[in-house]
Amino acid sequence: MRFKRPHFGRRLLGYLGLTLVLPWVLWFIAGLLGWEPSLITTFGVPGLRIPASFAIGGLLIAAIGFWQD
């Protein structure tokens, strides 16, 4: 007997992961272009662990959400 995969819940989880990553990516690009202060000037080199952990966590959640989709 085959069960249907829960597409909606996992896809929602994938989009949640991407929404965690999106602000950090936009801030990174805006900092490279000089429109905003960069992540390094805001957090410092040791403080980059904070946005990096959000980005990596969001990408991992998105990978789980979009797995076999």
Side-chain angles (χ1 to χ4, degrees), residues 15-65:
Y15 287 124
L16 174 73
L18 288 179
T19 57
L20 282 173
V21 174
L22 187 63
W24 301 106
V25 170
L26 292 176
W27 189 359
F28 174 72
I29 293 171
L32 283 177
L33 296 174
W35 298 339
E36 292 288 326
S38 71
L39 290 171
I40 294 176
T41 58
T42 304
F43 292 103
V45 174
L48 279 178
R49 290 181 289 176
I50 296 167
S53 64
F54 277 105
I56 291 172
L59 289 175
L60 285 172
I61 291 171
I64 292 169

Side-chain angles (χ1 to χ4, degrees), residues 1-25:
M1 184 158 127
R2 292 192 81 133
F3 294 103
K4 255 188 133 172
R5 293 185 306 184
H7 289 290
F8 179 73
R10 273 206 331 222
R11 187 169 292 162
L12 185 65
L13 188 67
Y15 287 124
L16 174 73
L18 288 179
T19 57
L20 282 173
V21 174
L22 187 63
W24 301 106
V25 170

